[in-house]
């Protein structure tokens, strides 16, 4: 690959930002724990959960659609796991299966409404966001009278689930393995398989894709289901880790996932992007969120920093791309 | 140069095609045919019915009256896929390409070569590159790097890629929708060379254009379309370029205008 091809990679901006953020915090917070193994593990854990959401969200955005219901799908599936085990007395795995089925349905419904009505997915999934958030609070309060459910450790199969979803490898969370594995899988699908090629086409030139016989609607529906299932997986991590859940868990995650994907060079208009970029976006997010804590600044400020980095990264990305495209002519 | 080979049926023939949209008649009693290794130019100004004709030939709109024949056999296309299955490929102005995808990926879009089985089935880009390189070479195009995005190609190269793709996937008749309209003189010339290359390779080409200069350079026969009606078909030997231009521009109207402009 020539230097110019490298410059045109969508991940370029975010990789530079990750390196810059790491250097910045290494200098300003290096002596207060940012560089230690446990400090590293703390931001990697945040990045892992966000990264697992950001990978399918990036795929969906490359295909030209948004999913704003990710956060409330997390709340709904986490609560499904908790209520099935504590209220119905199911073993934990039964609860997880029920949550997976529910989120697959959410994704299917999102996808069907978007493809059948041609309404913008931004609006459709904004609707499902509210329906799921309200439904989760309503159901939980109806069944338990509270908005938090705990006591999952008594459910059958909890030990095994804890190893798989909330275990530790040395100082690192096991979710890190999930993140790396899923990122690798999603990257492989995107750049090395036929459906991956279709994802680019569906977002980059939908009419052309249809004319060439690509199953545009099916591609989108499957991607909506994938984002919902990823939300369910992350909700399961958290529910098992905290041995319970809250109706508000996952709030705002949909925007964080979009932020990670866009930081990683995914175009808002579809047709271009990268899963590795989204993973770097998630890494940057975790690094900034924890780095601010280590550097002793009030952690309330981390979002200011992230927002600024977002705009800078996107600016850098688009200017480099324009220059790379011009250089070719 | 006679392409009206006796006894050989045209690959594609339209007989007395009429197409209406509500009360508007877009095409009325239009007939035309194209043989193998022949370029038929369909010339018409804006609103002459060129786009409706393309859509009828490519299976988007079935005609209200008249019929289409492929190899002398009446056919009814219910979709563009039908037409494609009979070897009628249409290259639209947008070329059905994804600008940000690479040359190879665009070439095989929707029909990607793969290797491996089951969940391990994956794109075979290396095999794809070999095929694309060979197809482009047959068109006389040399691209150094096939992994560059299509947006980095020139307009002429993009058009050539679309034509090469159509031929590779079995086109016997190429319907080209204004392939030179968005291009500068030099790029248009390049594209016309590829159109002739397609003829050399045995394709029947229906070149739809409003540019009589381009048409006369490459065409074997010319069909003039005006307000949805056929205004005659001429073999190259029977019509000069100037005559073609005059008829295209609405002949007398243009001369009238010239007089008025000169007078003022």
């Amino acid at each position: 690959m020539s230097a110019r091809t490298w410059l045109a990679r969508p991940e370029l901006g975010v990789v530079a930002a990750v390196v810059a953020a790491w250097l910045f915090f290494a200098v300003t917070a290096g002596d207060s724990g940012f560089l230690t193994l446990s400090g590293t593990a703390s931001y990697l854990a945040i990045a892992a959960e966000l990264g697992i959401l950001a990978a399918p969200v990036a795929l969906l955005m490359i295909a030209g659609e948004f999913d704003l219901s990710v956060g409330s799908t997390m709340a709904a599936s986490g609560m499904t796991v908790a209520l099935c085990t504590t209220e119905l007395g199911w073993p934990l795995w039964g609860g997880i299966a029920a949550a997976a089925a529910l989120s697959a349905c959410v994704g299917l419904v999102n996808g069907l409404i978007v493809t059948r009505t041609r309404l913008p997915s931004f609006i459709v999934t904004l609707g499902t966001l509210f329906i799921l958030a309200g439904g989760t609070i309503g159901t939980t309060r109806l069944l338990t009278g509270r908005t938090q459910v705990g006591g999952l450790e008594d459910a059958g199969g909890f030990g095994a689930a804890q190893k798989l979803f909330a275990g530790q490898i040395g100082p690192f969370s096991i979710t890190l393995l999930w993140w790396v594995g899923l990122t690798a899988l999603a990257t492989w699908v995107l750049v090395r398989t036929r459906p991956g090629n279709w994802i680019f086409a569906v977002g980059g030139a939908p009419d052309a894709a249809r004319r060439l016989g690509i199953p545009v609607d099916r591609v989108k529906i499957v991607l909506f289901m994938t984002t919902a299932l990823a939300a369910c997986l992350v909700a399961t991590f958290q529910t098992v880790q905290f041995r319970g859940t809250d109706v508000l868990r996952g709030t705002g995650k949909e925007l964080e996932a979009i932020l990670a994907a866009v930081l990683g060079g995914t175009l808002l208009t579809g047709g271009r992007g990268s899963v590795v970029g989204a993973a770097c976006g998630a890494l940057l997010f975790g690094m900034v969120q924890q780095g601010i804590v280590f550097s002793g600044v009030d952690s309330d400020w981390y979002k200011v920093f992230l927002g600024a980095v977002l705009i800078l990264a996107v600016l850098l990305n688009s200017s480099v791309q324009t220059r790379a495209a011009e250089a070719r002519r | 140069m006679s392409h009206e080979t006796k006894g050989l049926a045209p690959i594609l023939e339209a007989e007395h095609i009429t197409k209406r949209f509500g009360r508007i008649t877009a095409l009325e009693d239009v007939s035309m045919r194209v043989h193998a290794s022949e370029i038929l130019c369909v010339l018409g100004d804006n609103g002459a019915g060129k786009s409706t004709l393309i859509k009828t030939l490519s299976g988007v709109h079935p005609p209200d009256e008249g019929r289409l024949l492929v190899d002398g056999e009446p056919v009814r296309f219910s979709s563009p896929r039908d037409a494609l299955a009979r070897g009628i490929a249409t290259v639209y102005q947008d070329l059905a390409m994804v600008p940000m995808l690479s040359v190879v990926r665009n070439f095989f879009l929707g029909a990607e070569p793969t290797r491996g089985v089951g969940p391990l089935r994956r794109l075979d880009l290396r095999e794809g590159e070999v095929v694309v390189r060979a197809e482009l070479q047959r068109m006389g195009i040399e691209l150094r790097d096939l992994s560059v995005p299509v947006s980095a190609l020139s307009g002429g190269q993009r058009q050539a890629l679309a034509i090469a793709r159509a031929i590779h996937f079995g086109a016997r008749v190429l319907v080209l929708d204004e392939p030179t309209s968005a291009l500068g003189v030099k790029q248009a010339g390049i594209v016309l060379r590829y159109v002739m290359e397609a003829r050399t390779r045995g394709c029947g080409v229906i070149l739809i254009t409003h540019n009589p200069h381009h048409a006369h350079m490459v065409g074997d026969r010319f069909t003039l379309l005006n307000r949805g009606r056929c205004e005659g078909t001429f073999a190259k030997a029977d019509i000069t370029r100037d005559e073609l231009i005059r008829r295209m521009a609405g002949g007398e109207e243009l001369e009238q205008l010239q007089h008025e402009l000169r007078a003022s």
Side-chain angles (χ1 to χ4, degrees):
Chain A
M1 253 199 266
S2 69
R4 220 161 51 197
T5 337
W6 275 110
L7 276 178
R9 303 270 329 148
E11 302 93 346
L12 180 82
V14 73
V15 169
V18 165
V19 173
W22 189 85
L23 287 174
F24 178 79
F25 289 117
V27 171
T28 59
D31 48 3
S32 51
F34 179 77
L35 293 174
T36 62
L37 217 52
S38 67
T40 306
S42 75
Y43 66 73
L44 285 180
I46 294 170
E49 288 194 351
L50 182 58
I52 290 169
L53 294 175
V57 162
L59 295 185
L60 184 67
M61 285 174 69
I62 296 169
E65 302 291 350
F66 287 100
D67 188 352
L68 294 181
S69 67
V70 170
S72 57
T73 305
M74 276 182 67
S77 39
M79 204 42 99
T80 305
V81 173
L83 289 177
C84 282
T85 48
T86 58
E87 294 296 306
L88 302 177
W90 290 11
L92 189 62
W93 292 101
I96 292 172
L102 172 81
S103 44
C105 284
V106 170
L108 181 66
V109 169
N110 276 338
L112 282 174
I113 296 180
V114 168
T115 52
R116 292 287 145 84
T117 63
R118 304 275 166 103
L119 286 174
S121 52
F122 193 89
I123 303 301
V124 172
T125 57
L126 185 63
T128 27
L129 180 156
F130 276 83
I131 293 170
L132 279 174
T136 306
I137 297 177
T139 313
T140 309
R141 202 147 13 216
L142 205 67
L143 291 177
T144 66
R146 290 170 296 140
T147 57
Q148 289 176 318
V149 176
L152 245 71
E153 61 273 26
D154 301 330
F158 183 80
Q162 199 181 22
K163 281 205 187 72
L164 190 59
F165 297 127
Q168 295 280 124
I169 305 168
F172 297 105
S173 164
I174 193 156
T175 53
L176 210 59
L177 276 186
W178 282 91
W179 178 35
V180 171
L182 290 173
T183 300
L185 178 67
T187 298
W188 183 75
V189 168
L190 184 65
V191 302
R192 281 284 167 262
T193 70
R194 291 187 75 193
N197 215 30
W198 299 347
I199 290 172
F200 281 116
V202 163
D207 294 333
R210 249 189 212 99
R211 244 188 279 136
L212 291 167
I214 291 169
V216 173
D217 291 355
R218 189 146 43 99
V219 168
K220 287 187 178 176
I221 291 170
V222 169
L223 289 176
F224 274 111
M225 291 176 73
T226 314
T227 59
L229 283 168
C232 177
L233 181 64
V234 175
T236 305
F237 290 161
Q238 297 190 348
T239 309
V240 171
Q241 188 191 346
F242 301 120
R243 299 165 186 217
T245 188
D246 183 300
V247 291
L248 294 179
R249 189 161 306 287
T251 306
K253 286 291 171 197
E254 62 283 339
L255 295 181
E256 291 176 9
I258 292 175
L259 179 117
V262 173
L263 279 174
T266 299
L267 275 190
L268 278 172
T269 43
R272 183 188 169 88
S274 121
V275 177
V276 173
C280 293
L283 180 59
L284 181 65
F285 187 98
M287 213 180 257
V288 171
Q289 189 176 351
Q290 283 306 99
I292 293 248
V293 176
F294 281 117
S295 59
V297 178
D298 189 336
S299 65
D300 293 343
W301 291 94
Y302 88 94
K303 284 187 179 166
V304 175
F305 201 89
L306 269 175
V309 173
L310 171 73
I311 294 171
L312 278 177
V314 174
L315 255 178
L316 176 70
N317 235 336
S318 70
S319 75
V320 167
Q321 277 166 26
T322 318
R323 252 180 292 140
E326 276 167 0
R328 277 212 188 82
R329 297 245 158 76
Chain B
M1 185 160 51
S2 167
H3 291 275
E4 306 255 349
T5 322
K6 295 268 161 20
L8 208 65
I11 313 185
L12 178 65
E13 184 165 14
E15 272 185 352
H16 309 293
I17 299 280
T18 296
K19 179 73 199 169
R20 299 186 194 89
F21 296 101
R23 283 162 54 198
I24 297 161
T25 305
L27 291 178
E28 196 175 350
D29 194 23
V30 171
S31 296
M32 49 180 280
R33 59 187 190 283
V34 67
H35 296 80
S37 300
E38 179 187 50
I39 298 176
L40 170 73
C41 297
V42 176
L43 287 138
D45 211 344
N46 293 338
K50 286 178 300 188
S51 344
T52 311
L53 181 65
I54 293 168
K55 287 185 174 158
T56 309
L57 295 177
S58 65
V60 177
H61 300 316
D64 294 323
E65 283 162 37
R67 56 180 193 167
L68 293 173
L69 298 99
V70 173
D71 300 320
E73 192 184 305
V75 289
R76 206 169 167 78
F77 300 142
S78 53
S79 76
R81 302 240 99 195
D82 269 7
L84 206 56
R86 299 299 297 256
I88 318 294
T90 306
V91 178
Y92 288 96
Q93 278 173 327
D94 76 354
L95 305 180
M97 294 214 179
V98 184
M100 283 171 283
L101 276 188
S102 75
V103 172
V104 178
R105 283 169 180 266
N106 265 294
F107 192 92
F108 289 105
L109 211 54
E112 297 85 352
T114 57
R115 63 197 158 110
V117 283
L120 284 177
R121 203 165 154 222
R122 58 206 184 273
L123 289 181
D124 195 346
L125 288 176
R126 205 168 306 158
E127 169 65 24
E129 281 208 16
V130 172
V131 172
V132 174
R133 207 169 279 288
E135 285 291 345
L136 288 181
Q137 234 149 32
R138 291 181 68 181
M139 299 277 298
I141 310 164
E142 201 69 54
L143 278 184
R144 201 164 35 88
D145 186 357
L146 296 177
S147 64
V148 297
V150 155
S151 59
L153 301 185
S154 72
Q157 288 174 323
R158 240 174 287 172
Q159 192 81 41
L161 183 63
I163 293 173
R165 175 171 69 177
I167 296 177
H168 176 75
F169 285 105
R172 297 162 61 223
V173 175
L174 275 174
V175 183
L176 304 177
D177 179 13
E178 299 273 8
T180 58
S181 73
L183 301 177
V185 177
K186 197 173 162 209
Q187 291 289 323
I190 292 171
V191 168
L192 291 176
R193 218 180 63 221
Y194 299 140
V195 172
M196 291 171 73
E197 191 58 42
R199 171 176 63 189
T200 310
R201 289 177 62 181
C203 273
V205 180
I206 300 181
L207 176 68
I208 294 171
T209 179
H210 66 261
N211 190 322
H213 301 274
H214 292 168
H216 200 263
M217 265 189 269
V218 298
D220 299 309
R221 286 188 304 121
F222 310 91
T223 291
L224 290 159
L225 211 58
N226 190 12
R227 289 181 200 151
R229 290 172 150 277
C230 238
E231 296 216 320
T233 297
F234 306 89
K236 189 164 193 166
D238 302 334
I239 192 164
T240 63
R241 194 186 66 170
D242 290 339
E243 177 66 9
L244 202 59
I245 294 167
R246 205 184 61 81
R247 281 176 176 268
M248 252 299 289
E252 292 83 50
E253 281 170 51
L254 200 70
E255 273 161 26
Q256 183 92 40
L257 182 68
Q258 233 161 17
H259 279 300
E260 279 170 31
L261 286 174
R262 224 172 270 152
S264 60

